[in-house]
């Protein structure tokens, strides 16, 4: 979606936001010395350059930090960032800039901001912006462009179509053609990034406009409303009034800022609460009704056991799934394995997400917070008496989970499940934990007990490797007094490991825990059963001691279970950034997510496809073509 800043384009953009546009006067730029401009709450007004207008608008919109790398087309902007004392963080790669803004946004609930140059700056950022789009994370990208208008010439450096590149990975792109349009473009981008289902947006500004000047006039904005389908809510209420139905809540990222209301509703309905991966933390996982993530075979044992509607016990399972602020995406459902339930109510702020995987009894287009508030007003109509049986079943299932996790499968080095458990034991409840795309992400989703909202983070729906290192840095910049750690595989480390130099340069005390088994173990777990060999999964042996020295950070090595807890404590107690290598051995440890997805995928193969896989496995079992690399 692109918004050109003609009068028609402005109104189209505002229609998408659900607000009324207040158009800036179409005044011509005024030459000569700049007059003092005025900054009031919600107002960007005065005679200023385009670069000044960008920074003034970012400040009015509450920006705490800008992430990125300066370039020829944006040097004017970065100079004004410094002059206006708006904090910025230089990174090593624009992919990292997008991930830093993502980590900032997930940990604060506010839009992260990046400033990037056209061409390679834009293309480098696309993976991170795509992660934010699919994971519903608000980012505003201020993107330089080649000169346009009378200043534009053919064959300029970086002369790609920036807008066309950005459109697939954003909710909308605002293209500026006149300097006086800059404040409105940026403010529209912030509004679109945060309204409805959050996501990234971009503002594309030709670099020649940054040094041009004009009279800006962007008034204060009215708050954007949120949806609430009253008629659909009443239909959902009719189902929930049936107190013979056992309700189970499936909560997603949309519930993250409504933890207290979610807990109240769960207790009101005596409903067990499972979350999506992105929703981890929206209810304390220590709460008696919390069952972990999932509720299908890919999630926690407790969630599957408690939600299971096929059990014969009269108090087992749930009859009605109340899904709130969640999309039923492939990763969180383990290849779409969450059962629909006998009855199903789906609540989401984005109508496009409703009923896409299951066919609910009722789809409610509503903000999760308003839905909770309205449901709590109907407490007398929907409340259930305290059900000790369900709490006892949850407690018993948790005991079984602890038992299942206690065994170590490592033959040498450390079992990654033990790393997850040791980190949870050593960290305080409000530590920020960033988990990367490793096989261990599923172990962490199961076993890392999350106690507070916005403390556990995982790239979910774009699965961008290397995300956690820059995302953690972005969050640490926003939360200088908080403990921030990453759990990263050695393959993911290869993607963004040099960004640790940013932690050293800026004194950002992130603790980087690297699971090192010199392999893409995730791919090995997927390839070996299907092909009886692995392909392109072996990684080089790295000298992490030398790497840490070269990057300028402290180093800690953990090579056995015997020094696991002491090694973690030592790293956490160090005042600055630390690179921690953990010699890792998965052994024969099974991972519920991988096992269940493999079973589902196999079940969906045609008989011909199954026979082809079986024949190939049979040949390789006797020793032909069985070479791993």
């Amino acid at each position: 979606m692109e918004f050109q800043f003609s009068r028609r384009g402005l109104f189209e953009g505002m229609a998408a936001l659900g607000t009324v546009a207040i158009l800036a006067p179409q005044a011509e730029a005024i030459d000569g010395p700049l007059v003092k401009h005025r900054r009031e709450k919600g107002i960007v007004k005065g005679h200023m350059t385009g670069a000044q207008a960008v920074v003034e608008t970012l400040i009015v919109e509450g920006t705490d930090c800008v992430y990125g790398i300066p370039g020829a087309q944006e040097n004017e902007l970065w100079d004004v960032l410094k002059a206006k004392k708006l904090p910025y963080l230089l990174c090593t790669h624009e992919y990292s800039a997008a991930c830093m803004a993502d980590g900032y946004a997930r940990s604060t609930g506010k839009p992260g901001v990046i400033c990037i140059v056209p061409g390679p700056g834009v293309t480098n950022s696309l993976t991170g912006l795509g992660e934010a789009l699919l994971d519903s994370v608000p980012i505003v990208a201020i993107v330089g462009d080649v000169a346009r208008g009378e200043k534009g010439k053919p064959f300029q450096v970086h002369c790609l179509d920036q807008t066309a590149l950005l459109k697939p990975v954003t909710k909308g792109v605002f293209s500026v053609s006149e300097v006086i349009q800059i404040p409105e473009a940026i403010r529209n981008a912030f509004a679109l990034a945060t309204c409805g289902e959050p996501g990234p947006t971009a503002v594309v500004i030709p670099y020649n406009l940054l040094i041009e000047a004009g009279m800006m006039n962007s008034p204060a904005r009215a708050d954007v409303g949120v949806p609430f389908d009253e008629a659909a809510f009443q239909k959902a209420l009719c189902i929930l009034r049936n107190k013979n139905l056992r309700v189970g809540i499936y909560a997603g990222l949309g519930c993250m800022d409504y933890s207290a209301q979610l807990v109240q509703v769960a207790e009101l309905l005596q409903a067990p609460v499972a979350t999506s991966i992105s929703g981890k933390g929206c209810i304390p996982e220590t709460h008696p009704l919390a069952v972990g993530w999932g509720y299908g075979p890919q999630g926690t044992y407790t969630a599957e056991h408690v939600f299971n509607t096929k059990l014969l016990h009269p108090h087992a399972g749930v009859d009605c799934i109340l899904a709130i602020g969640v999309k039923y995406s492939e990763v969180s459902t383990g290849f779409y394995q969450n059962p629909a339930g006998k009855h199903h109510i789906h609540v989401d702020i984005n109508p496009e997400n409703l009923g896409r995987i299951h066919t609910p009894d009722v789809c409610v287009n509503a903000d999760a917070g308003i839905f909770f508030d309205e449901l709590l007003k109907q407490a007398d109509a929907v409340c259930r008496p305290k059900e000790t049986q369900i709490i006892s079943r949850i407690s018993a299932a948790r005991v079984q989970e602890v038992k299942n996790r206690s065994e170590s499968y490592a033959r040498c080095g450390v079992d990654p499940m033990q790393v997850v458990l040791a980190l949870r034991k050593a960290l305080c409840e409000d530590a920020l934990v960033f988990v990367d795309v490793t096989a261990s992400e599923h172990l962490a989703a199961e076993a890392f007990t999350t106690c507070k909202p916005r403390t556990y983070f995982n790239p979910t729906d774009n699965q961008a490797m290397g995300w956690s290192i820059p995302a953690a840095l972005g969050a640490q910049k926003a939360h200088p007094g908080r403990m921030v750690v990453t759990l990263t595989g050695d393959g993911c480390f290869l993607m963004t490991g040099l960004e640790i130099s940013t932690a050293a340069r800026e004194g950002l005390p992130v603790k980087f825990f690297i699971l090192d088994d010199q392999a893409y173990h995730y791919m090995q777990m997927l390839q070996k059963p299907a092909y009886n060999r692995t392909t392109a999964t072996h990684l080089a042996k790295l000298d992490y001691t030398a790497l840490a020295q070269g990057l300028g950070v402290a180093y800690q090595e953990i090579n056995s279970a015997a020094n696991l807890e002491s090694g973690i404590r030592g790293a956490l107690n160090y005042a600055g950034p630390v690179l921690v290598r953990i010699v890792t051995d998965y052994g024969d440890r099974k991972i519920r997510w991988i096992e269940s997805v493999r079973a589902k995928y196999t079940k969906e193969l045609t008989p011909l496809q199954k026979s082809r896989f079986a024949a190939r496995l049979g040949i390789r079992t006797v020793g032909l073509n069985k070479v791993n690399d």
Side-chain angles (χ1 to χ4, degrees), residues 3-35:
F3 304 114
Q4 293 288 345
F5 270 72
S6 61
R7 180 176 293 272
R8 177 181 177 186
L10 275 170
F11 278 117
E12 288 176 349
M14 287 296 94
L17 298 177
T19 61
V20 178
I22 305 174
L23 301 180
Q26 301 298 303
E28 295 183 0
I30 301 174
D31 295 327
L34 298 181
V35 299

Side-chain angles (χ1 to χ4, degrees), residues 37-153:
H37 52 264
R38 186 174 67 183
R39 181 193 300 164
E40 297 177 9
K41 186 177 182 181
I43 298 173
V44 179
K45 187 173 183 178
H47 191 249
M48 61 188 86
T49 67
Q52 289 172 329
V54 171
V55 177
E56 286 295 318
T57 309
L58 292 178
I59 291 171
V60 165
E61 290 292 330
T63 303
D64 299 315
C65 184
V66 171
Y67 303 94
I69 304 174
Q73 291 90 348
E74 284 197 338
N75 277 332
E76 180 77 11
L77 174 55
W78 283 78
D79 187 73
V80 176
L81 287 172
K82 176 177 281 188
K84 298 292 184 183
K85 296 182 171 56
L86 178 54
Y88 50 81
L89 183 61
L90 170 66
C91 57
T92 67
H93 195 280
E94 288 88 355
Y95 167 54
S96 292
C99 295
M100 287 177 177
D102 186 337
Y104 169 95
R106 294 190 202 220
S107 63
T108 65
K110 297 167 54 179
V113 176
I114 63 174
C115 285
I116 53 176
V117 296
V122 169
T123 56
N124 286 344
S125 73
L126 295 181
T127 297
L129 291 173
E131 188 70 63
L133 179 69
L134 296 186
D135 285 6
S136 310
V137 178
I139 292 176
V140 174
I142 307 299
V143 181
D145 197 4
V146 299
R148 301 294 181 185
E150 63 181 27
K151 298 282 188 179
K153 303 290 184 185

Side-chain angles (χ1 to χ4, degrees), residues 302-315:
T302 299
E304 183 188 22
H305 182 69
V306 171
F307 271 66
N308 193 343
T309 57
K310 297 179 181 179
L311 297 177
L312 299 178
H313 191 280
H315 297 289

Side-chain angles (χ1 to χ4, degrees), residues 263-280:
V263 169
Q264 286 180 275
V265 168
E267 293 173 349
L268 184 72
L269 300 174
Q270 287 295 287
V273 180
T275 73
S276 66
I277 296 175
S278 297
K280 271 180 70 73

Side-chain angles (χ1 to χ4, degrees), residues 65-385:
C65 184
V66 171
Y67 303 94
I69 304 174
Q73 291 90 348
E74 284 197 338
N75 277 332
E76 180 77 11
L77 174 55
W78 283 78
D79 187 73
V80 176
L81 287 172
K82 176 177 281 188
K84 298 292 184 183
K85 296 182 171 56
L86 178 54
Y88 50 81
L89 183 61
L90 170 66
C91 57
T92 67
H93 195 280
E94 288 88 355
Y95 167 54
S96 292
C99 295
M100 287 177 177
D102 186 337
Y104 169 95
R106 294 190 202 220
S107 63
T108 65
K110 297 167 54 179
V113 176
I114 63 174
C115 285
I116 53 176
V117 296
V122 169
T123 56
N124 286 344
S125 73
L126 295 181
T127 297
L129 291 173
E131 188 70 63
L133 179 69
L134 296 186
D135 285 6
S136 310
V137 178
I139 292 176
V140 174
I142 307 299
V143 181
D145 197 4
V146 299
R148 301 294 181 185
E150 63 181 27
K151 298 282 188 179
K153 303 290 184 185
F155 316 122
Q156 295 179 67
V157 65
H158 303 335
C159 195
L160 297 174
D161 188 338
Q162 324 303 331
T163 298
L165 288 166
L166 289 160
K167 284 171 67 174
V169 294
T170 60
K171 291 178 69 178
V173 183
F174 296 83
S175 298
V176 174
S177 59
E178 297 180 56
V179 68
I180 60 174
Q181 297 167 348
I182 287 174
E184 281 298 287
I186 294 173
R187 302 187 80 174
N188 290 344
F190 271 89
L192 184 59
T194 54
C195 77
E197 180 182 355
T201 60
V203 181
V204 177
I205 306 173
Y207 76 84
N208 53 293
L209 296 185
L210 295 175
I211 60 173
E212 290 185 18
M215 183 61 71
M216 313 297 170
N217 185 14
S218 179
R221 285 193 177 278
D223 289 337
V224 178
V226 292
F228 182 73
D229 186 338
E230 177 67 34
F233 173 77
Q234 292 299 327
K235 292 179 182 178
L237 191 59
C238 286
I239 296 173
L240 296 174
R241 280 184 178 135
N242 182 352
K243 298 183 181 181
N244 291 321
L245 293 179
R246 296 183 296 274
V247 179
I249 297 174
Y250 182 43
L253 181 61
C255 299
M256 191 59 69
D257 293 324
Y258 309 109
S259 181
Q261 295 99 311
L262 172 59
V263 169
Q264 286 180 275
V265 168
E267 293 173 349
L268 184 72
L269 300 174
Q270 287 295 287
V273 180
T275 73
S276 66
I277 296 175
S278 297
K280 271 180 70 73
C282 64
I283 184 171
E285 291 181 327
T286 52
H287 189 280
L289 289 168
V291 297
W293 84 276
Y295 84 76
Q298 83 289 353
T300 63
Y301 167 81
T302 299
E304 183 188 22
H305 182 69
V306 171
F307 271 66
N308 193 343
T309 57
K310 297 179 181 179
L311 297 177
L312 299 178
H313 191 280
H315 297 289
V318 300
D319 304 307
C320 177
I321 304 294
L322 175 56
I324 307 175
V326 69
K327 289 188 289 195
Y328 282 94
S329 64
E330 179 181 354
V331 174
S332 272
T333 61
F335 199 29
Y336 312 108
Q337 293 189 85
N338 282 24
K342 298 175 185 176
H343 298 279
H344 193 154
I345 300 167
H346 193 180
V347 182
D348 199 84
I349 199 168
N350 185 354
E352 296 298 317
N353 294 337
L354 294 169
R356 296 288 298 277
I357 302 301
H358 299 299
T359 303
D361 298 60
V362 184
C363 290
V364 186
N365 180 207
D367 171 76
I370 294 179
F371 182 88
F372 287 139
D373 289 342
E374 292 301 312
L375 191 57
L376 290 169
K377 292 177 183 177
Q378 305 293 329
D380 291 342
V382 300
C383 70
R384 272 75 166 161

